[in-house]
């Protein structure tokens, strides 16, 4: 299958290893992966701050770069949700990484999982809200609905990963785009509470589908002097 | 923004006391969990939400018809109907009725919980005009004694601990300041309120649901204070926002099942009182009953297609209890009678300038929309209000300029590539440039470590074997 990779701006600039892991993972799974040149940002930072009108130039650039590509895969639920809701040009063609793996490729195993000789890693899964509630990557505790979780299904394919149970399985981390600076005090308090839940559960690694939430949690962990790692789900799936 | 502390500043103040913030968060989370147990034990839960949402949509789409039907029915039942275009009119009508009811020695008024009267600042108005009004809901009485506003629409005193209540009662009711036993304090409140009930001539209540078909006014409480007030006073004034009308009696079966489960995790409120017609008094006359129908901005909101369905709200408070921001910033930080997520989409309609900060007091996590028993898309409306406020010129100039710059850089591959490279290099060479106290990110968090290469730079160096 031929797919194009969209790497959101902050992942490109601060977390290149996430995009590399995703690229390699998709290639290992047999995809031909294009990374069209000239990609920048989905426009979400402006839109969530009340300037959706300024998302327009970003949509224009996105649409020029990805024209002709049938499937675009993105390692961020939040960017995908923004593109889906506000940029109709690629309707039905944009996928968040996990949903692409479980719904389109419908993988039942990961490339190297049998050869893995690592010990057990205790992993805390942070459900980023836009992916979980917006894209429906997982059932939500608010609703009376059968349990399901696309990221969890994938993590269970990784040998040696032990998912730790959290007290609040799907509470927001408090990143929230510009909220993280305009409402800095509450944002940090929310992040500290999320981190505390993962630490109490004994997580060695906190993972998730959105690097923006993880960047915020990482910032808090580092400030606390914690050695707990933060990894995008692509890094865990590829590492195996 | 004169006299209003913006949400972010109020919230910062609130979280300064971290143990208290934790307590507030955990108390409300406990209520959310009780709600979850109820919601998850009814197989038809999501269907009920769907029905409730559709009934409300229908009622709002035909609001004028149902209001006229309600008026006719209520009048036929012997209740006098008043229409108030705004808060001032509402308050004046109440004042007039109270004055007309006055015997020698003045009138005493008891009031059970009504968010509408909070919205209209009725207490302030009556007290300014020399009329004594006493809130009879325990939580509301506590905040009234403290001259504070309720911080939650269902749990008005949730920002207070029992030791705070003990101090308040000691000052106002003469209780022992060292005793904060809830039973002791509640008993003191009961004795105090009993006096008020017995001396009251007028009882004011809110209305949870007004049935157009029958003219029934339904009031839900856990303390029975609405009933006690109404059954002892010669005059009953029921105040309702025009959006509270529902078409038929049978629809109550949907709403009453959802309301208390969503609010506190109870199957139903302890009292669901149906007031239909004035009761006979012992002197052979009948009680006087009044219904005040209040607009106060509701028809404006109804005229905003993006925001009209916020009027479906049944004021259960579930969106407050689930909101991770509300739990950590407290109701007063929202500087509006209705706080929390729903308050943040109702308030800008009432005063856009004063409440321009509220739609930004959210991470848009979407939990509110999914607990809401009438399926209001609160997070979507918060996002839409942000756009609307920008269109109306409410964004600060500095923010507008920053956003324009961001858009220019982030939509141009060349500018984006340069600024990313330069920015990362500067961060590596001079970490103090960003890791300083003027950077709000850095106050409570470390900055991410900038890598040597961006993904784009790395990718361009890879041999293109796969092409
Ligand atoms: S918006 Fe929904 S959840 Fe919030 S108070 Fe109203 S009915 Fe309840």
């Amino acid at each position: 299958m031929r797919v194009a990779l969209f790497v959101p701006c902050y992942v490109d600039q601060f977390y290149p290893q996430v995009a590399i892991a995703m690229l390699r993972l998709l290639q290992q799974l047999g995809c031909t992966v294009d990374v069209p040149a000239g990609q920048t940002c989905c426009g979400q930072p402006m839109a969530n701050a009340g300037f959706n009108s300024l998302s327009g130039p970003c949509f224009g650039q996105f649409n020029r770069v990805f024209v002709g590509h049938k499937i675009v895969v993105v390692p961020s639920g939040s960017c995908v949700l923004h593109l889906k809701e506000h940029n109709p040009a690629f309707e039905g063609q944009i996928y968040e990484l996990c949903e692409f793996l479980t719904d389109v490729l419908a993988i039942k195993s990961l490339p190297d999982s049998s050869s893995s000789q690592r010990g057990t890693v205790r992993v805390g899964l942070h459900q980023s809200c836009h992916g979980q509630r917006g894209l429906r990557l997982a059932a939500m505790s608010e609703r009376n609905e059968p349990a399901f979780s696309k990221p969890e299904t994938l993590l269970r394919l990784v040998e040696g990963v032990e998912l730790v149970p959290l007290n609040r399985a799907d509470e927001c981390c408090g990143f929230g785009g510009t909220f993280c600076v305009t409402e800095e005090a509450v944002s940090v308090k929310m992040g500290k509470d999320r981190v505390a839940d993962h630490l109490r559960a004994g997580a060695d690694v906190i993972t998730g589908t959105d690097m923006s939430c993880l960047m915020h949690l990482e910032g808090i962990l580092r400030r606390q002097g914690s050695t707990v790692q933060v990894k995008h789900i692509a890094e865990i799936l590829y590492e195996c | 923004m004169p006299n209003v502390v913006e949400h972010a500043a109020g919230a910062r103040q609130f979280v300064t006391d971290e143990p208290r913030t934790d307590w507030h968060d955990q108390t409300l989370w406990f209520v959310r969990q009780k709600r979850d147990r109820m919601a998850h034990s009814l197989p038809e839960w999501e269907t009920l939400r769907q029905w409730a949402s559709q009934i409300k949509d229908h009622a709002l789409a035909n609001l004028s018809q149902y209001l006229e039907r309600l008026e006719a029915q209520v009048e036929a039942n012997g209740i006098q109907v008043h229409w108030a275009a705004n808060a001032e009119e509402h308050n004046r009508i109440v004042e007039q009725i109270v004055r007309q009811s006055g015997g020698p020695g003045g009138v005493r008024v008891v009031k059970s919980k009504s968010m509408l009267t909070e919205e209209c600042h009725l207490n302030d108005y009556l007290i300014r005009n020399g009329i004594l009004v006493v809130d009879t809901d325990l939580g509301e009485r506590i905040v009234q004694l403290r001259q504070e506003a309720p911080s939650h629409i269902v749990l008005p005193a949730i920002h207070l601990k029992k030791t705070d209540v003990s101090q308040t009662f000691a000052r106002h009711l003469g209780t022992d300041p060292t005793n904060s036993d809830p039973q002791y304090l509640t008993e003191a409140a009961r004795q105090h309120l009993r006096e008020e009930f017995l001396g009251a001539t007028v009882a004011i209540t809110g209305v949870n649901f007004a049935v157009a078909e029958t003219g029934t006014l339904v009031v839900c409480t856990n303390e029975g204070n609405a009933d006690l007030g109404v059954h002892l006073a010669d005059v009953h004034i029921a105040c309702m926002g025009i959006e509270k009308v529902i078409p038929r009696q049978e629809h109550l079966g949907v709403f009453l099942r959802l309301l208390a489960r969503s609010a506190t995790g109870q199957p139903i409120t302890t009292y669901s009182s149906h007031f239909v017609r004035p009761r006979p008094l012992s002197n052979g006359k009948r009680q006087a009953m009044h219904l005040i129908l209040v607009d106060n901005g509701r028809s404006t909101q109804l005229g905003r297609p993006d925001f009209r369905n916020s009027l479906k709200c049944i004021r259960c408070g579930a969106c407050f209890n689930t909101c991770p921001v509300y739990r950590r910033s407290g109701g007063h930080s929202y500087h509006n009678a209705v706080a929390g997520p729903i308050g943040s989409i109702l308030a800008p309609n009432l005063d856009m300038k004063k409440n321009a900060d509220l739609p930004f007091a959210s991470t848009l996590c979407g939990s509110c929309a999914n607990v809401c028993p009438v399926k209001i898309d609160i997070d979507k409306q918060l996002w839409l209000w942000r756009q609307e406020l920008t269109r109306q010129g409410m964004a600060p100039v500095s923010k507008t300029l920053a956003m324009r710059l961001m858009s220019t850089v982030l939509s141009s591959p060349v500018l984006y590539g340069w600024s990313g490279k330069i920015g990362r290099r500067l961060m590596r060479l001079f970490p103090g440039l960003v890791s300083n106290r003027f950077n709000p990110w850095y106050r409570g968090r470390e900055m991410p470590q900038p890598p040597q290469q961006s993904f784009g730079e790395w990718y361009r160096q890879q041999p293109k074997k796969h092409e």
Side-chain angles (χ1 to χ4, degrees):
Chain A
M1 190 174 299
R2 193 173 186 116
V3 300
L5 193 60
F6 171 55
V7 181
C9 51
Y10 65 95
V11 174
D12 178 46
Q13 291 298 325
F14 287 108
Y15 298 98
Q17 73 276 18
V18 172
I20 295 170
M22 177 166 165
L23 171 73
R24 298 248 156 97
L25 174 70
L26 289 171
Q27 286 172 340
Q28 276 188 352
L29 289 166
C31 294
T32 306
V33 186
D34 297 311
V35 184
Q39 41 182 290
T40 55
C41 169
C42 68
Q44 184 182 215
M46 283 79 76
N48 284 2
F51 288 81
N52 191 37
S53 50
L54 295 177
S55 292
C58 288
F59 291 155
Q61 180 61 20
F62 182 93
N63 296 346
R64 275 192 294 282
V65 165
F66 287 97
V67 69
H69 291 276
K70 295 263 180 308
I71 292 180
V72 183
V73 189
V74 189
S76 159
S78 194
C79 302
V80 170
L81 185 68
H82 177 65
L83 288 165
K84 278 193 173 174
E85 289 189 333
H86 305 291
N87 181 25
F90 282 80
E91 210 178 322
Q93 292 170 252
I94 301 182
Y95 293 90
E96 182 278 332
L97 173 65
C98 294
E99 61 181 0
F100 177 73
L101 297 178
T102 58
D103 302 0
V104 182
L105 290 187
I107 62 169
K108 297 281 175 273
S109 63
L110 286 159
D112 283 331
S113 54
S114 55
S115 64
S116 169
Q117 293 300 316
R118 285 175 314 171
T120 307
V121 189
R122 294 168 65 82
V123 175
L125 172 61
H126 174 65
Q127 299 274 13
S128 290
C129 305
H130 287 175
Q132 188 210 7
R133 298 196 186 82
L135 298 176
R136 306 288 276 128
L137 293 183
M140 48 185 124
S141 60
E142 294 85 3
R143 290 217 196 156
N144 185 343
E145 64 184 359
F148 70 96
S149 167
K150 294 175 190 182
E152 204 177 306
T153 308
L154 292 169
L155 288 169
R156 293 207 184 280
L157 300 178
V158 184
E159 204 177 291
V161 162
E162 181 194 329
L163 282 168
V164 298
L166 300 172
N167 276 340
R168 300 188 189 178
D170 51 9
E171 173 132 308
C172 176
C173 69
F175 172 70
T178 47
F179 180 90
C180 74
V181 290
T182 56
E183 288 265 6
E184 181 268 336
V186 176
S187 172
V188 167
K189 179 62 183 144
M190 287 168 70
K192 279 165 72 177
D193 290 354
R194 269 312 59 236
V195 160
D197 198 1
H198 286 270
L199 297 183
R200 184 207 45 77
D204 307 316
V205 175
I206 300 178
T207 192
T209 53
D210 258 295
M211 214 51 223
S212 50
C213 307
L214 295 177
M215 172 169 75
H216 163 69
L217 296 177
E218 183 182 43
I220 287 167
L221 283 166
R222 293 297 93 84
R223 179 59 59 90
Q224 293 176 347
S226 166
T227 53
V228 165
Q229 294 292 303
V230 155
K231 284 184 179 166
H232 189 272
I233 192 166
E235 295 176 90
I236 295 187
L237 298 179
Y238 173 66
E239 233 180 34
C240 75
Chain B
M1 234 185 267
N3 302 327
V4 176
V5 178
E6 286 200 28
H7 182 273
R12 175 173 298 285
Q13 183 64 35
F14 189 86
V15 291
T16 310
D17 188 344
E18 196 162 358
R20 203 182 177 101
T21 306
D22 288 337
W23 172 82
H24 191 260
D25 165 62
Q26 281 153 15
T27 307
L28 289 159
W29 183 254
F30 175 72
V31 182
R32 153 86 208 265
Q33 285 178 308
K34 280 172 70 186
R35 171 259 171 218
D36 286 355
R37 278 196 288 279
M38 279 293 163
H40 294 178
S41 62
L42 281 194
E44 68 273 36
W45 182 256
E46 299 301 332
T47 310
L48 281 175
R49 288 178 72 224
Q50 185 62 27
W51 286 353
S53 168
Q54 288 174 347
I55 295 166
K56 281 282 182 182
D57 276 337
H58 170 82
L60 290 171
N62 301 280
L63 192 59
S64 60
Q65 278 172 30
Y66 284 118
L67 285 172
E68 283 174 7
R69 177 91 193 269
L70 176 73
E71 178 183 37
Q73 208 56 51
V74 165
E75 282 181 339
N77 294 344
I79 300 172
Q80 202 177 329
V81 176
H82 311 259
W83 296 86
N86 51 42
E88 296 77 62
E89 274 187 37
H90 163 264
N91 293 347
R92 265 204 307 278
I93 294 169
V94 173
E95 185 195 0
Q96 268 164 21
I97 301 171
V98 172
R99 293 214 187 281
Q100 282 158 16
S101 320
V107 193
R108 282 165 71 182
V109 181
V110 287
K111 182 163 79 67
S112 66
K113 193 139 87 285
S114 143
M115 286 319 296
L116 175 73
T117 59
E118 293 295 336
E119 175 189 319
C120 297
H121 302 291
L122 176 68
N123 282 8
D124 289 349
Y125 177 88
L126 291 180
I127 290 166
R128 256 202 327 273
N129 286 284
I131 295 169
L132 191 69
V133 52
V134 171
D135 278 314
T136 59
D137 172 273
L138 177 56
E140 290 232 313
R141 186 62 183 143
I142 295 167
V143 295
Q144 190 186 24
L145 288 173
R146 297 171 63 93
Q147 302 194 330
E148 286 176 352
S151 65
H152 185 295
I153 56 177
V154 172
L155 313 161
I158 195 65
H159 59 293
L160 299 171
K161 293 182 153 187
K162 59 186 181 191
T163 45
D164 303 319
V165 177
S166 167
Q167 295 305 314
T168 305
F169 281 10
R171 188 159 336 120
H172 296 277
L173 307 181
T175 52
D176 172 6
T178 61
N179 192 342
S180 56
D181 172 46
Q183 179 136 19
Y184 168 73
L185 294 171
T186 313
E187 185 56 29
R190 288 172 81 102
Q191 295 306 331
H192 156 68
L193 285 172
R194 190 129 310 207
E195 290 300 311
E196 301 295 340
F197 280 122
L198 289 170
T201 325
V202 177
I204 299 175
T205 69
V207 174
N208 289 90
F209 307 98
V211 184
E213 177 185 42
T214 57
T216 308
L217 308 176
V218 180
V219 181
C220 305
T221 71
N222 271 333
E223 297 169 23
N225 55 315
D227 308 69
L228 195 53
V230 170
H231 290 144
L232 287 168
D234 291 350
V235 182
H236 173 193
I237 309 174
C239 309
M240 67 175 263
I242 51 174
E243 82 283 17
K244 291 278 177 275
V245 66
I246 59 169
R248 300 160 67 99
Q249 184 87 7
E250 66 182 24
H251 294 153
L252 279 174
V254 174
F255 291 109
L256 293 180
R257 295 187 75 199
L258 284 168
L259 178 62
R261 285 185 168 88
S262 299
T264 52
Q266 298 164 263
I268 193 157
T269 39
T270 316
Y271 299 87
S272 305
S273 312
H274 298 226
F275 297 107
V276 183
R277 58 182 61 83
R279 70 186 153 79
L281 299 176
S282 53
N283 59 12
K285 294 189 189 158
R286 279 195 173 264
Q287 178 196 39
M289 265 180 90
H290 299 265
L291 174 66
I292 311 180
L293 288 153
V294 187
D295 183 332
N296 204 34
R298 286 164 178 74
S299 49
T300 315
Q301 188 88 323
L302 197 63
R304 302 179 195 269
D306 286 340
F307 306 115
R308 69 181 309 180
N309 88 30
S310 60
L311 296 172
K312 292 193 292 188
C313 177
I314 59 171
R315 302 285 192 271
C316 72
C319 59
F320 289 56
N321 306 339
T322 203
C323 179
V325 176
Y326 172 84
R327 278 189 262 111
R328 293 174 183 82
S329 59
H332 293 151
S333 63
Y334 292 79
H335 54 77
N336 187 54
V338 180
I342 180 67
S344 300
I345 58 174
L346 293 174
N349 177 57
L350 291 173
D351 186 337
M352 225 182 265
K353 204 172 165 68
K354 175 177 158 240
N355 299 311
D357 56 327
L358 294 183
F360 294 92
S362 164
T363 57
L364 306 180
C365 78
S367 184
C368 46
N370 291 290
V371 289
C372 177
V374 289
K375 296 181 96 165
I376 300 174
D377 51 352
I378 305 175
D379 56 326
K380 298 256 158 32
Q381 292 188 43
L382 287 166
W383 189 91
L384 287 164
W385 265 119
R386 295 179 184 187
Q387 314 307 323
E388 180 63 17
L389 289 164
T390 301
R391 269 196 296 277
Q392 299 294 332
M394 301 285 165
V397 179
S398 55
K399 182 178 173 185
T400 309
L401 292 175
M403 286 295 149
R404 290 223 176 101
L405 178 67
M406 234 170 120
S407 168
T408 309
V409 172
L410 289 180
S411 60
S412 153
V414 174
L415 290 178
Y416 167 78
W418 276 3
S419 51
K421 207 181 181 101
I422 295 168
R424 275 181 287 116
R425 182 166 308 159
L426 285 174
M427 274 175 79
R428 279 198 309 277
L429 292 175
F430 310 105
L433 268 185
V434 286
S435 298
N436 63 52
R437 67 199 169 86
F438 299 108
N439 173 1
W441 174 279
Y442 186 70
R443 234 176 263 157
R445 290 160 288 214
E446 296 298 318
M447 293 296 291
Q449 291 297 312
Q452 295 278 347
Q453 277 187 322
S454 71
F455 172 72
E457 289 159 17
W458 173 85
Y459 186 77
R460 279 193 290 280
Q461 290 176 0
Q462 300 308 301
K464 296 288 178 283
K465 58 176 192 286
H466 55 278
E467 272 176 12

